[in-house]
Amino acid sequence: MKKIIALSLSVLLVLSLVISFAGCMDDTPDQEEPTTVFVRMDSVPEENVVSYINSVIEKSNASGAKINVSEGFSVNDTKALTAEDYAAYLNGEELAGNEALDTLDDTLGFIKTYLMKGFSAPAPEITALATIDNADVASVVNYNDKTSRNWTTENVTNEEGETEAYEEDVPKYEFDMDGNEILEQPVTDEEGSQVYYENGDIKSKTFVCDNKMRATLSFLAQPAEETTAMQFADSAIIDKYFTNTVDKEYVLNELAKVNTAVAISDYTVEYRDCTVTFEIDMETEQVLSATYTKNAFVTFDANGEGSFADLGEFKICFTFTDTVTCTFDYAVAEEVADDETTADADAALTDGDVLTNGDAITGGDVLTDGDVEEFISEIVPEIDIEATLAE
């Protein structure tokens, strides 16, 4: 009887081993998706924004995510000016005006087609974002809880689910991230006077609805209020972070197509307010998008030709905006990681491998049907049930 019990235990053990190893061969069983709980993150103080963005950029670059790049161009504020009016324009002063150039100024749209052809170029290939030197950032633009986070508004309802309204004038208050009124911070107007709801206004509360953060970095220092002159950013700083997709020789060759009316000999470029706007997932610490907006002030040295010969030498200037948007595809990085893991697992054990008593089975081993049969024949001795019962 003891032998029968021992035999039974042995058979059960073998069966449990076979079932366990067979389970390793099957696809990963369906698992219930974990429930994501929204945990509100703390806001990043303005003085820490650049360092925080840099830390997320480094993590996003290291993830191996694919960066999708798109680019758009526009030409705005085109002007045809005499040399004197051009200087006045840069200084924010009143222009003297020139009747002939004013007429050309009104019809400069004809040249925009050639400007766009000359300046537009294929979107650059970007495989990683550059971190930002805090010393290069002039300001974090309009950054506060309301602008940096995604907020939503929810109407207040009573016990019957009906929307409530204010019955009389009551003061307005700011809300915290959970939608609670911050009684210490009443809303005031530009004169600092308390702001009140009007009768019949719907009661509502406003709160942060996710952990997406937006921040815009500017590289142009703000001038004193009394300054009227046009301000330009340091070109060396702009060149560090903004791609240059303009081929100057191509631009001049393209503009040569209109030399029967206007001859362009050369042009210069200076940078106005250039910004980078980041959208970041604070929970996963991933860059979701980065938008680089480069505003270049372009000045052409021009000379009237043909029917415009009486214009003589003059300036054509405009603002050329180059916008490069980068979005991150983290699914690509995850797929690559999964493929590498699968390849490593497949390499750990193949159909040709024979398991023996001395083999150690690790978590990286993958067993096939043939491996299980080999395992049973090599490790588990044949058991003659009839012979055992006869004993």
Side-chain angles (χ1 to χ4, degrees):
M1 180 58 101
K2 291 181 179 180
K3 292 181 179 179
I4 292 176
I5 294 174
L7 172 61
S8 299
L9 292 174
S10 298
V11 172
L12 289 173
L13 177 61
V14 171
L15 289 175
S16 65
L17 286 171
V18 171
I19 292 172
S20 297
F21 285 120
C24 294
M25 298 182 298
D26 294 336
D27 293 334
T28 303
D30 293 335
Q31 296 181 354
E32 186 176 341
E33 289 292 330
T35 302
T36 301
V37 179
F38 175 64
V39 179
R40 188 162 284 123
M41 313 292 289
D42 291 332
S43 293
V44 179
E46 182 175 336
E47 61 270 19
N48 297 337
V49 166
V50 176
S51 59
Y52 175 74
I53 289 175
N54 284 336
S55 68
V56 177
I57 286 176
E58 291 173 346
K59 291 178 181 179
S60 297
N61 287 340
S63 72
K66 178 183 177 183
I67 301 180
N68 303 304
V69 183
S70 60
E71 188 169 19
F73 306 92
S74 65
V75 173
N76 301 290
D77 301 327
T78 52
K79 292 187 179 300
L81 303 169
T82 63
E84 293 75 18
D85 269 352
Y86 176 75
Y89 180 58
L90 293 182
N91 289 323
E93 300 170 356
E94 186 177 352
L95 306 182
N98 178 286
E99 185 175 349
L101 288 179
D102 289 344
T103 301
L104 177 62
D105 191 4
D106 294 335
T107 59
L108 272 179
F110 84 95
I111 207 172
K112 280 192 176 184
T113 300
Y114 297 97
L115 293 175
M116 295 301 293
K117 286 182 179 179
F119 280 84
S120 302
E125 181 179 352
I126 299 176
T127 57
L129 298 187
T131 54
I132 311 294
D133 188 338
N134 195 54
D136 292 338
V137 178
S139 64
V140 181
V141 182
N142 298 325
Y143 184 85
N144 56 49
D145 279 345
K146 298 294 184 183
T147 59
S148 66
R149 304 290 290 278
N150 290 330
W151 291 67
T152 188
T153 300
E154 179 182 285
N155 289 342
V156 176
T157 57
N158 57 24
E159 294 179 355
E160 287 74 31
E162 299 171 341
T163 301
E164 295 184 348
Y166 294 103
E167 297 179 358
E168 59 185 23
D169 287 351
V170 293
K172 289 186 177 182
Y173 291 96
E174 292 283 356
F175 293 88
D176 63 18
M177 291 187 178
D178 293 309
N180 302 313
E181 286 184 337
I182 305 175
L183 301 181
E184 299 80 18
Q185 298 180 18
V187 178
T188 57
D189 58 22
E190 294 180 355
E191 287 73 34
S193 302
Q194 173 75 58
V195 177
Y196 292 84
Y197 290 104
E198 295 180 1
N199 290 340
D201 279 359
I202 294 174
K203 286 186 179 180
S204 63
K205 60 180 181 179
T206 305
F207 52 90
V208 173
C209 62
D210 61 30
N211 287 325
K212 304 297 189 299
M213 186 192 87
R214 293 183 305 277
T216 298
L217 309 182
S218 172
F219 299 89
L220 177 64
Q222 295 300 314
E225 291 185 3
E226 64 274 10
T227 301
T228 59
M230 195 176 293
Q231 303 297 305
F232 298 110
D234 186 334
S235 59
I237 292 177
I238 301 305
D239 291 340
K240 285 173 62 176
Y241 307 111
F242 294 80
T243 57
N244 179 23
T245 58
V246 177
D247 183 334
K248 186 169 186 176
E249 182 178 356
Y250 179 79
V251 171
L252 294 175
N253 288 337
E254 192 69 26
L255 289 173
K257 296 177 181 178
V258 295
N259 61 9
T260 55
V262 178
I264 304 296
S265 58
D266 196 8
Y267 70 85
T268 59
V269 176
E270 294 182 273
Y271 298 110
R272 304 188 70 176
D273 189 12
C274 301
T275 62
V276 185
T277 298
F278 293 95
E279 183 176 12
I280 289 174
D281 189 324
M282 298 175 68
E283 290 189 68
T284 61
E285 292 198 305
Q286 294 175 333
V287 178
L288 300 178
S289 67
T291 301
Y292 297 78
T293 303
K294 179 169 61 176
N295 289 304
F297 183 71
V298 184
T299 301
F300 286 94
D301 294 325
N303 195 76
E305 300 288 345
S307 59
F308 292 97
D310 59 334
L311 294 177
E313 295 182 354
F314 61 97
K315 302 284 188 181
I316 293 178
C317 60
F318 56 88
T319 298
F320 175 76
T321 301
D322 179 359
T323 304
V324 175
T325 301
C326 301
T327 58
F328 284 71
D329 188 350
Y330 293 96
V332 172
E334 293 172 0
E335 289 174 3
V336 171
D338 290 342
D339 291 343
E340 292 175 349
T341 301
T342 302
D344 291 341
D346 290 341
L349 192 65
T350 66
D351 290 344
D353 292 332
V354 177
L355 295 176
T356 65
N357 288 308
D359 286 329
I361 301 173
T362 67
D365 293 330
V366 177
L367 298 179
T368 66
D369 293 337
D371 293 327
V372 174
E373 293 175 2
E374 191 69 34
F375 170 76
I376 295 173
S377 62
E378 292 289 338
I379 298 179
V380 182
E382 290 189 10
I383 301 173
D384 189 335
I385 297 179
E386 292 183 359
T388 305
L389 291 175
E391 296 179 6

